Amino acid sequence: MTSVSTRPAAWKFLLAFGIIYFVWGSTYLAIRVGVREIPPFLMAGLRFTVAGLAMWAWIRATGTPSPTLREWRDATILGTLMFLIDYACLFWAEQRVPSGIAAVILAMIPVCITLLEITFLRTQRLTLRLAIGLAIGIAGVIVLSNPWAALGEVPLDRRGLVALLVSCCGWSVGTIVTGKLTLPASKPMSAAAQMLSGGVQLLVLAAVAGEFTKFRAQDISSAAWLSLIYLIIAGSIIGYTAYVWLLHYESPTRVGTYAYVNPVVAVILGAVLGGEAMGRRTILGTALILISVAAITTIKRKQSIAKTSESREAGLKVAADD
């Protein structure tokens, strides 16, 4: 941990946390504005290709070596999972689902990761408390998706909800396999490589889907172009730079609190600026999912601390015996 004497000024931490809390939370509304006019796969591809190229060039200028062929290969695998699948589904879904709801559903990623760890990897034990946490999150999704009990709101598009759940799965699988891949030692370079490879794949998908033939740049409003520029500069370049910077000085647990704040910011902005409904269904579903995420991450953190403590005690015992 960095010593107090070399720790940056407090305002820098407030600014960095403000960026990952509020800028990342606002990107969902920016996507919603953009995909009304720009084809979804093309918009996502432009966002990450431009941001990835800019980050790669800037990091290379600082003297960081470019990824090796093997690192590019593995970064491309993550680009497929965490950018092609995740963001293709997210941008497509936001044509049909309010931006606030999209953010809330994507907050389910820790729940999805935990389910994969329990059912497939067998690296997580299902305890009663963990089962309750998972059940609360699933209940939140049911509340949001139930067309027979919309609680005064318009029923949500089922295809959009399915796409958002697939988006969660793509990011979750990518998170799990990250530790098994060979990636650049520099986190910013690794992120740039993943963004760039994912962005190029999204552009290929846009071409296959025929989006280029439907796209007329002169017909796009300034609001849609500004939303794309905002996503590239603020959402991707500035946002991830702030995130990586914070990880140098703060624990991943504290930095990860953005996962609780982003959905709330997205729901409020969607209602205030985007005219999206924020009725009883949205509030209840959001509350249930955030409670689930908070419970699961807290339980897993305690289990991790307990395992570390047991390992340390075992090591001390062996040392004493020797």
Side-chain angles (χ1 to χ4, degrees):
M1 183 65 68
T2 306
S3 63
V4 176
S5 60
T6 59
R7 189 173 172 83
W11 69 267
K12 294 183 179 180
F13 286 95
L14 290 175
L15 178 61
F17 271 109
I19 289 170
I20 66 171
Y21 281 174
F22 300 106
V23 171
W24 275 357
S26 67
T27 56
Y28 293 92
L29 180 58
I31 293 170
R32 177 80 168 164
V33 171
V35 296
R36 288 171 180 164
E37 301 178 42
I38 304 174
F41 305 145
L42 177 58
M43 185 178 181
L46 289 173
R47 173 187 178 180
F48 292 113
T49 301
V50 174
L53 272 174
M55 286 185 66
W56 178 85
W58 172 65
I59 296 164
R60 285 288 291 128
T62 64
T64 302
S66 189
T68 64
L69 286 176
R70 183 173 182 179
E71 289 170 346
W72 272 116
R73 182 201 67 185
D74 288 0
T76 301
I77 292 173
L78 287 183
T80 301
L81 292 168
M82 305 179 83
F83 289 90
L84 175 62
I85 295 175
D86 182 16
Y87 285 99
C89 290
L90 172 61
F91 276 64
W92 184 85
E94 284 216 39
Q95 296 177 114
R96 297 161 173 79
V97 177
S99 61
I101 298 296
V104 171
I105 296 295
L106 288 193
M108 286 282 291
I109 287 173
V111 177
C112 187
I113 290 173
T114 303
L115 285 171
L116 290 173
E117 289 174 338
I118 293 171
T119 56
F120 293 103
L121 298 179
R122 307 290 184 181
T123 57
Q124 186 73 38
R125 186 167 56 89
L126 181 61
T127 63
L128 177 60
R129 293 177 63 187
L130 199 56
I132 293 173
L134 291 170
I136 292 172
I138 294 170
V141 174
I142 292 172
V143 167
L144 292 175
S145 61
N146 190 348
W148 299 283
L151 300 179
E153 297 183 40
V154 176
L156 296 176
D157 185 279
R158 285 294 184 90
R159 296 172 300 167
L161 284 172
V162 170
L164 290 171
L165 292 174
V166 173
S167 176
C168 281
C169 291
W171 191 276
S172 300
V173 173
T175 301
I176 288 172
V177 303
T178 295
K180 303 181 183 299
L181 300 176
T182 302
L183 299 168
S186 164
K187 281 187 172 62
M189 178 58 81
S190 178
Q194 292 170 45
M195 273 190 203
L196 181 53
S197 63
V200 170
Q201 292 178 73
L202 284 162
L203 290 178
V204 171
L205 176 61
V208 171
E211 290 187 349
F212 283 96
T213 60
K214 306 172 187 175
F215 180 67
R216 296 288 183 273
Q218 63 271 21
D219 297 334
I220 305 302
S221 69
S222 57
W225 282 121
L226 286 173
S227 70
L228 177 58
I229 293 169
Y230 180 78
L231 288 169
I232 292 170
I233 297 175
S236 295
I237 298 174
I238 295 176
Y240 198 81
T241 300
Y243 175 74
V244 171
W245 183 84
L246 279 170
L247 287 175
H248 282 291
Y249 299 100
E250 298 285 358
S251 68
T253 300
R254 183 172 294 181
V255 178
T257 53
Y258 75 86
Y260 312 129
V261 181
N262 286 172
V264 177
V265 171
V267 168
I268 293 173
L269 288 179
V272 175
L273 300 179
E276 299 174 0
M278 190 170 67
R280 290 174 295 165
R281 181 194 64 191
T282 299
I283 293 172
L284 178 59
T286 300
L288 288 171
I289 287 174
L290 293 183
I291 289 170
S292 170
V293 172
I296 288 171
T297 52
T298 301
I299 292 167
K300 291 175 71 175
R301 185 168 68 248
K302 288 180 179 179
Q303 290 177 347
S304 178
I305 292 172
K307 288 179 182 177
T308 302
S309 178
E310 290 173 3
S311 299
R312 186 181 297 113
E313 289 175 4
L316 291 173
K317 184 179 185 301
V318 169
D321 291 341
D322 289 344

